[in-house]
Amino acid sequence: TSAIWQVKFSEKNLDSLMEFITNFDFPDDKKSIRNKFVREVISMKDKRVKPFLNELYLNSYQDSYTQEIILDRIAENKTEASIDKIKDLFTKDFPVGINKVTFIASFADSLPLAKKFFPDMLDYTSIEDYKAPTYALLSELVETKNINPKIYKKLIGQLLNEAKIELKKQLRVDNSSRDSNKRYNYYGDNYNYKGTAYNRYSKKSDLMLAEYTTILYPYRKNKKVAEFLDKLSMVKDEQFKIKYLAIQKQFGENITAKDVEPYAKDINTRLSAYYILTSKKLGNIFPKAYSVQDSLNIANLYAFNEYEKEVDKYEFISKHSVNNKYGDFEVYIYKVTSRNYNNKEVEKLKMFAIKKGTEPTIRFEYNESTSFKEYETIEKQVEDLLQEVEFEGRERVSTSDYNGYGGYGY
């Protein structure tokens, strides 16, 4: 079985592949081979491929995975015709139980084109697989003014009811005991408060309150919508509060740096505020005093662990210019003192490396830490960390007692 994955088929194999896909009864433990064949056919340019895939899609009622593969391939073209084809296939059948809805999410970077999905895709939001990704895309279209809100006006009642459910869910989370252990980080839409990966286009997202708020906000003069928006003041979640400020600003409300300052001042919410606002091109309302690189670095020291003033300490050690095969970097070193679960004091050195010319930023090319060693000079430990950057991409003998983590990228 493993050997088949190394085989690259050509168009001269098309007839055989289509025959196998259509007529061979693959046992359950060999279904992945069939999927391999389908992907191979999809990659071919032969004029017989499109009608074959169309027929295969319609005949795969019991195989949503195959349908998903075909939809993903159609979406790769990113044309109006590909959207029309997806919508046409959906009127005949649609996959369910899939892990992600890539064929919708892939249009997030082509919003003027993505609006062609609407209002048709709203017909499928009652299906759990499609609710979150469809509303996520719609909210981006609304906030970037790429779609006229009138297109979903007749659904305001339904959207409002769903938004109320999301608000109730958020308030339940706010009031639960785990709220006291909340951890904030700057990744906003891409990570949740536990630091676990979260894709806003995930079908199982329960973090949709901001999306509903964005979609409903153009109808804020509607009495019932206005009542819902008033209730948002009950939400305690800091990331949502920041997002709501951004939503209001995007719709012309008088939101200033003064409104953002409490979140920028707080080490635990500074990165969320910076990420959310700059990602929405609203960095001009992030207070300048907190957008300097050192301020962002300090907040990043606690990206996944809440800063507690009485317990946590941090100290700037040094700044260095380092270059390697990938470019020139500014490297910042900090010493961090905290307590572990046994209430024992723990000291670490933390390094952030930033590509020169990109400051201020929260995107680090290197983000590493190592335990502070009492038996070794701090100069030697800093040198070891700097070598992690300097020797990136070159073979060298690694330091045996280094126990940091991280790597190229972020």
Side-chain angles (χ1 to χ4, degrees):
T1 302
S2 59
I4 195 70
W5 297 102
Q6 309 302 319
V7 178
K8 182 62 180 176
F9 296 93
S10 65
E11 298 202 0
K12 68 180 182 181
N13 306 119
L14 179 59
D15 288 328
S16 297
L17 288 170
M18 292 192 298
E19 175 67 22
F20 266 107
I21 292 168
T22 304
N23 297 317
F24 186 76
D25 186 15
F26 289 84
D28 289 341
D29 63 343
K30 297 291 187 285
K31 293 288 187 184
S32 59
I33 297 177
R34 183 177 188 273
N35 294 334
K36 156 77 172 175
F37 290 169
V38 172
R39 292 183 184 278
E40 289 287 340
V41 170
I42 285 173
S43 68
M44 296 178 184
K45 305 296 183 182
D46 192 287
K47 63 181 181 180
R48 293 172 293 168
V49 169
K50 284 186 178 180
F52 172 75
L53 292 178
N54 187 68
E55 183 178 358
L56 178 62
Y57 181 94
L58 297 177
N59 290 334
S60 298
Y61 187 85
Q62 293 180 298
D63 185 3
S64 286
Y65 186 76
T66 293
Q67 292 182 323
E68 182 186 7
I69 294 173
I70 294 171
L71 290 171
D72 286 348
R73 175 63 183 90
I74 295 171
E76 285 177 8
N77 295 323
K78 288 191 178 180
T79 63
E80 189 171 335
S82 64
I83 292 178
D84 287 340
K85 183 61 178 178
I86 291 172
K87 293 194 297 185
D88 177 62
L89 289 175
F90 257 62
T91 63
K92 298 166 183 173
D93 193 20
F94 46 82
V96 294
I98 54 182
N99 294 321
K100 53 187 177 179
V101 190
T102 308
F103 53 88
I104 294 178
S106 63
F107 286 89
D109 60 356
S110 307
L111 293 177
L113 182 62
K115 68 181 181 181
K116 302 293 183 181
F117 272 117
F118 298 95
D120 305 74
M121 282 305 298
L122 293 173
D123 292 339
Y124 304 95
T125 54
S126 61
I127 303 167
E128 195 62 29
D129 298 58
Y130 300 107
K131 178 183 286 187
T134 300
Y135 286 154
L137 184 58
L138 179 59
S139 70
E140 288 199 49
L141 289 166
V142 172
E143 72 181 26
T144 56
K145 311 295 189 296
N146 272 293
I147 200 169
N148 190 331
K150 290 182 179 179
I151 205 166
Y152 56 85
K153 185 176 182 179
K154 65 180 181 179
L155 298 175
I156 288 300
Q158 172 192 323
L159 288 165
L160 188 55
N161 286 333
E162 293 175 7
K164 289 176 180 178
I165 293 172
E166 289 299 311
L167 175 56
K168 289 276 191 179
K169 287 162 63 176
Q170 181 62 62
L171 294 176
R172 185 175 69 242
V173 170
D174 285 349
N175 293 322
S176 68
S177 59
R178 65 178 178 173
D179 186 59
S180 62
N181 295 316
K182 206 160 193 180
R183 297 291 185 265
Y184 294 96
N185 61 65
Y186 72 77
Y187 294 97
D189 287 335
N190 300 318
Y191 282 75
N192 66 19
Y193 68 83
K194 291 181 180 178
T196 53
Y198 158 68
N199 184 329
R200 71 182 303 199
Y201 287 93
S202 167
K203 65 168 185 172
K204 292 183 178 179
S205 166
D206 60 353
L207 304 176
M208 291 177 58
L209 184 57
E211 279 75 13
Y212 278 109
T213 301
T214 299
I215 294 168
L216 289 170
Y217 207 82
Y219 291 93
R220 57 194 176 280
K221 292 183 180 180
N222 176 297
K223 182 180 177 181
K224 291 184 178 180
V225 172
E227 289 174 353
F228 166 77
L229 295 176
D230 285 342
K231 287 184 173 64
L232 295 178
S233 62
M234 295 187 289
V235 175
K236 297 177 184 177
D237 182 82
E238 304 290 356
Q239 285 198 28
F240 175 77
K241 288 181 178 180
I242 297 164
K243 289 179 182 179
Y244 189 36
L245 288 176
I247 292 168
Q248 292 174 88
K249 182 67 175 178
Q250 287 173 313
F251 284 97
E253 307 291 357
N254 185 30
I255 303 298
T256 67
K258 186 176 180 180
D259 299 298
V260 178
E261 187 168 7
Y263 306 105
K265 186 177 181 180
D266 186 340
I267 288 177
N268 290 316
T269 54
R270 185 179 303 158
L271 294 182
S272 290
Y274 188 84
Y275 173 82
I276 291 167
L277 294 175
T278 55
S279 67
K280 295 180 182 298
K281 297 180 171 59
L282 296 174
N284 61 312
I285 63 171
F286 187 89
K288 287 183 170 56
Y290 299 101
S291 64
V292 295
Q293 192 60 55
D294 182 59
S295 177
L296 296 174
N297 290 348
I298 289 170
N300 210 298
L301 293 173
Y302 303 97
F304 297 98
N305 296 282
E306 186 174 13
Y307 171 72
E308 297 179 48
K309 188 175 182 180
E310 298 78 15
V311 176
D312 297 303
K313 300 174 186 176
Y314 57 84
E315 175 188 356
F316 172 72
I317 300 298
S318 54
K319 178 182 176 182
H320 309 263
S321 293
V322 178
N323 69 298
N324 63 23
K325 65 183 291 186
Y326 298 107
D328 298 319
F329 303 88
E330 295 290 357
V331 182
Y332 296 79
I333 308 288
Y334 296 83
K335 183 180 178 183
V336 180
T337 305
S338 60
R339 291 192 177 276
N340 62 18
Y341 290 107
N342 296 319
N343 203 32
K344 182 181 178 182
E345 191 171 90
V346 177
E347 293 182 314
K348 289 187 176 183
L349 287 181
K350 184 77 175 179
M351 174 186 75
F352 299 123
I354 298 160
K355 202 79 175 278
K356 278 190 177 180
T358 63
E359 301 175 88
T361 183
I362 52 177
R363 305 284 188 175
F364 304 113
E365 301 297 329
Y366 301 84
N367 178 350
E368 304 195 22
S369 70
T370 183
S371 296
F372 183 75
K373 308 175 188 70
E374 295 288 350
Y375 59 86
E376 197 171 80
T377 66
I378 194 167
E379 290 79 11
K380 176 63 169 64
Q381 295 176 69
V382 168
E383 181 184 350
D384 288 344
L385 278 172
L386 293 176
Q387 286 183 354
E388 292 296 314
V389 179
E390 184 180 352
F391 293 106
E392 173 69 26
R394 282 195 271 168
E395 289 187 14
R396 64 185 180 90
V397 178
S398 60
T399 307
S400 61
D401 59 354
Y402 178 77
N403 66 346
Y405 59 87
Y408 199 73
Y410 52 84

